[in-house]
């Protein structure tokens, strides 16, 4: 999979060199290009924003540098993702869909957003999705894009050694994950649930499923409806 990121803070994405995603990059499974939006400006101050037409608070990102940056990376096969609190909600299903794509382009907005014509234009040359991480406002798209890349990247075949571990996670079966335990069997007076030591695989599976239901009912009843 190829990933291109356009941002005014390329240094934000240095963390993509570490951990599982770093290994996936070194192995050539995921190829990430980070592009500084200011490299596509032509004025001395490398200006990327201006005041909003119609008035109002804050600044809007100007279309010209965005147009040039997207011209440099977007192809008809790309899916262009603009993180935005006004977007569709990002879920595990979104991550699964994006993990199937050969090329993702992430356009990180700052300030009050990007001139809408940039998003409309991108939609005329490729598939575009405006995606929100959740119902809260971040200062810009960078942190949201990091979260999306981590959620998507780990679903790309070969990134996680034990693919079976992906099947039993929270949100994969529509339920939250069951609690996990490891050695020792007793710690600070707390015991591991005896069923997990029983060796009875049927009983263990039933207990885990009951735990999933109980947790989901208590913490995320919206997932059950
Ligand atoms: N940019 C600012 N807030 C955001 C959010 N909640 N999700 C995605 N991108 C954002």
């Amino acid at each position: 999979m190829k990933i291109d990121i356009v941002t005014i803070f390329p240094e934000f994405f240095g963390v993509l060199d570490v951990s599982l995603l770093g290994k996936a990059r070194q192995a050539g499974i995921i190829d990430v290009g980070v592009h500084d939006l200011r490299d596509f400006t032509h004025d001395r101050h490398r200006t990327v924003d201006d005041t909003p037409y119609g008035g109002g608070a804050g600044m809007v990102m100007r279309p010209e540098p965005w147009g040039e940056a997207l011209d440099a990376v977007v192809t008809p096969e790309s899916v262009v993702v603009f993180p935005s609190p006004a977007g569709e909600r990002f879920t595990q299903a979104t991550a699964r869909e994006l993990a199937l794509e050969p090329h993702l382009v992430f356009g990180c907005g700052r300030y009050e957003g990007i001139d809408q014509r940039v998003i409309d234009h991108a939609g005329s040359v490729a598939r575009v999705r405006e995606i929100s991480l959740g119902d809260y406002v971040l200062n810009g798209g960078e942190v949201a894009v990091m979260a999306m890349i981590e959620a998507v990247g780990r679903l790309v075949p070969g990134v996680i050694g034990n693919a079976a571990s992906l099947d039993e996670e929270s949100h994969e079966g529509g339920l939250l994950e069951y609690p996990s335990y490891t050695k020792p069997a007793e710690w600070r007076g707390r015991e591991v649930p005896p069923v997990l030591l029983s060796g009875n695989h049927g009983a263990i599976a039933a207990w885990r499923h009951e735990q999933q239901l109980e947790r989901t009912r208590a913490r995320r009843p919206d997932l059950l409806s």
Side-chain angles (χ1 to χ4, degrees):
M1 170 185 277
K2 172 107 177 76
I3 296 177
D4 284 293
I5 303 162
V6 181
T7 171
I8 56 168
F9 294 120
E11 62 276 19
F12 235 100
F13 295 93
V15 290
L16 288 174
D17 289 335
V18 298
S19 190
L20 272 178
L21 285 178
K23 283 203 195 106
R25 287 179 76 181
Q26 278 162 24
I29 301 170
I30 298 181
D31 174 12
V32 183
V34 182
H35 312 272
D36 187 343
L37 181 68
R38 293 191 199 277
D39 290 345
F40 299 91
T41 59
H42 302 286
D43 64 310
R44 205 157 54 85
H45 301 289
R46 313 213 320 150
T47 310
V48 294
D49 61 329
D50 215 321
T51 53
Y53 276 126
M59 300 289 268
V60 177
M61 296 188 103
R62 291 177 61 106
E64 306 98 315
W66 273 107
E68 289 192 28
L70 295 177
D71 286 349
V73 295
V74 174
T75 76
E77 281 68 50
S78 314
V79 171
V80 187
V81 175
F82 292 102
S84 161
E88 54 167 315
R89 182 71 167 268
F90 186 78
T91 66
Q92 190 66 18
T94 322
R96 278 194 298 266
E97 287 163 19
L98 296 179
L100 298 173
E101 296 292 339
H103 185 211
L104 301 178
V105 176
F106 290 96
C108 302
R110 282 261 147 186
Y111 317 112
E112 295 306 307
I114 304 171
D115 187 303
Q116 182 62 36
R117 291 168 294 180
V118 172
I119 290 115
D120 297 344
H121 172 74
S124 72
V125 292
R127 286 166 292 155
V128 166
R129 295 178 76 164
E130 292 181 76
I131 301 181
S132 171
L133 211 56
D135 294 338
Y136 42 81
V137 179
L138 305 167
N139 281 334
E142 282 79 7
V143 166
V145 165
M146 277 302 315
M148 290 186 220
I149 289 176
E150 179 143 330
V152 170
R154 61 198 293 286
L155 299 179
V156 172
V159 173
I160 294 213
N162 176 11
S165 69
L166 295 174
D167 295 336
E168 294 190 3
E169 304 178 312
S170 289
H171 300 294
E172 276 304 336
L175 297 174
L176 302 184
E177 195 178 9
Y178 52 76
S180 302
Y181 299 86
T182 185
K183 296 165 194 71
E186 194 207 307
W187 176 74
R188 298 193 178 180
R190 296 170 187 274
E191 290 181 354
V192 170
V195 64
L196 297 178
L197 310 177
S198 70
N200 180 338
H201 297 297
I204 292 170
W207 180 85
R208 285 178 166 167
H209 186 66
E210 192 44 52
Q211 292 289 312
Q212 287 191 281
L213 286 171
E214 211 171 281
R215 270 191 169 180
T216 309
R217 242 181 255 125
R219 301 176 184 178
R220 294 293 306 278
D222 57 299
L223 295 178
L224 292 171
S225 55

